Amino acid sequence: ALPISRDCCERRKLQESMAKQLADFGRLFDSIFYATFFLFTAGFSLFGMGQLYHTVVNNEAKKLSQVANVIVRMFPFPDKKYEFSLTHVALFAMLIILLCLLHHPAQDVIHHEVEKEEKKVKRKEEAEKRKQKAASKQAKD
């Protein structure tokens, strides 16, 4: 009977650890905050792009005729009206989050260079300490 009860306890611990890996409710506030922040960021960014599009294509089309034509060809909105919905905001927010999570290799290079410099400084300090100890021993002798 002992191995069965031990097996049940191990299964329960495994299930609890899997549940913790699935969702950590201690980080729920952080998740809500970041989701709201990125949704507002995406919404304001899309709104700003809409204002820029409206300004270039409708208001300043005579002054910037070539630029306006290029932008109209790049972004062919019906009736030259820039519209976006909550779906666009959510997708843009996900794109921003994915780009924020992207790890660039240059970060590793910079980190390794900093570690090398720290090691060099530490070696120099240790060498100076050894020299001072050796000098103090010679002075005592």
Side-chain angles (χ1 to χ4, degrees):
L2 186 62
I4 295 171
S5 64
R6 181 179 294 168
D7 189 38
C8 290
C9 291
E10 289 176 6
R11 283 185 193 165
R12 183 171 289 152
K13 287 180 183 179
L14 180 63
Q15 289 173 348
E16 288 174 1
S17 67
M18 288 175 62
K20 284 183 181 180
Q21 289 176 355
L22 188 62
D24 185 8
F25 293 110
R27 306 290 300 204
L28 184 64
F29 178 74
D30 297 341
S31 303
I32 292 170
F33 173 77
Y34 284 119
T36 306
F37 173 77
F38 282 116
L39 281 174
F40 275 105
T41 302
F44 285 131
S45 298
L46 288 175
F47 176 75
M49 291 300 293
Q51 292 299 314
L52 180 65
Y53 179 83
H54 179 71
T55 302
V56 171
V57 173
N58 295 334
N59 297 346
E60 304 292 331
K62 291 180 182 177
K63 293 179 186 176
L64 306 170
S65 62
Q66 292 178 348
V67 175
N69 288 334
V70 169
I71 290 178
V72 167
R73 288 182 186 173
M74 284 175 52
F75 305 106
F77 293 107
D79 299 329
K80 295 182 181 179
K81 291 184 179 178
Y82 181 86
E83 295 179 1
F84 63 95
S85 65
L86 184 60
T87 305
H88 297 105
V89 173
L91 289 173
F92 191 57
M94 285 186 232
L95 178 65
I96 292 171
I97 291 168
L98 286 175
L99 290 174
C100 288
L101 294 174
L102 184 68
H103 184 77
H104 197 276
Q107 294 170 334
D108 291 332
V109 172
I110 293 170
H111 180 70
H112 289 300
E113 288 177 1
V114 168
E115 284 181 345
K116 285 180 185 179
E117 290 296 323
E118 288 175 352
K119 286 181 182 178
K120 285 181 183 178
V121 170
K122 190 175 181 180
R123 287 180 192 158
K124 287 181 182 178
E125 289 175 356
E126 289 176 358
E128 289 176 9
K129 287 180 183 179
R130 282 187 226 133
K131 287 180 183 178
Q132 288 175 355
K133 285 182 182 179
S136 66
K137 283 184 181 179
Q138 288 178 356
K140 289 179 182 178
D141 293 337

